[in-house]
Amino acid sequence: MTITDLIPALKGHGRRRAVDKVAELRDENRRLFTRLMGADDAVALLHQQLAVTAARQAEAEEIIVQQLANLDDLHAENDQLRDELAALKVRFGPELAAEANAHPITVPPMIRPIDGPEDQATAPIPVLTLQQAFGSADPAHVPAWALRD
């Protein structure tokens, strides 16, 4: 505080006093510096987050490369096993078929569980023409259930 702040008569009477304008500009500078420091802090935090994100992205890319290499190895192994299986089917197919025919597994109908709907016996689906389904050879015939009152 200055002496002019304590004694209002020393301040003067003009609308545009230099002392007031200087004080106003100093306050504005203080506010702007405060904002600048806050912005610097925010930018520093963003840079830190960017570094962490870049590190995580690099780790993720390494994991993806490893997984792609593993996937390629598994595809090669799968192809090799498929070829071996095809060769074994050709070699042992007749023997397996003969053994399956020699020892069939049969279950009598009274023992077979039919609790679930997937175990119910099925019948062929009747496929009929429209004339057979509605019992009329007349194409203009309208069945009774389709008539409106």
Side-chain angles (χ1 to χ4, degrees):
M1 291 192 84
T2 63
I3 193 147
T4 56
D5 292 334
L6 297 173
I7 305 171
L10 297 177
K11 281 189 174 182
H13 299 291
R15 292 182 78 195
R16 295 182 163 182
R17 292 181 324 170
V19 175
D20 291 341
K21 192 63 175 175
V22 168
E24 187 179 312
L25 289 174
R26 283 187 180 145
D27 288 342
E28 185 177 355
N29 278 345
R30 203 173 301 117
R31 284 192 309 271
L32 290 175
F33 278 127
T34 303
R35 282 188 180 180
L36 179 64
M37 294 303 157
D40 285 344
D41 292 343
V43 168
L45 287 174
L46 288 174
H47 280 295
Q48 183 181 6
Q49 289 175 355
L50 179 64
V52 169
T53 303
R56 287 181 183 168
Q57 181 179 1
E59 290 174 10
E61 287 174 356
E62 287 180 20
I63 290 171
I64 288 172
V65 168
Q66 290 173 357
Q67 287 179 345
L68 286 175
N70 290 343
L71 188 62
D72 290 341
D73 293 343
L74 290 174
H75 278 301
E77 184 180 353
N78 188 20
D79 292 340
Q80 179 186 359
L81 290 175
R82 186 181 298 123
D83 294 340
E84 288 179 18
L85 178 63
L88 290 174
K89 279 185 180 180
V90 168
R91 182 174 174 194
F92 295 111
E95 294 173 12
L96 292 173
E99 184 179 338
N101 288 333
H103 306 290
I105 298 174
T106 57
V107 178
M110 71 225 58
I111 296 175
R112 192 179 97 194
I114 53 171
D115 298 337
E118 67 276 359
D119 292 328
Q120 297 297 319
T122 58
I125 299 171
V127 178
L128 305 173
T129 64
L130 290 175
Q131 286 83 12
Q132 291 171 342
F134 294 116
S136 172
D138 182 16
H141 172 73
V142 177
W145 59 266
L147 293 174
R148 293 185 181 171
D149 295 331

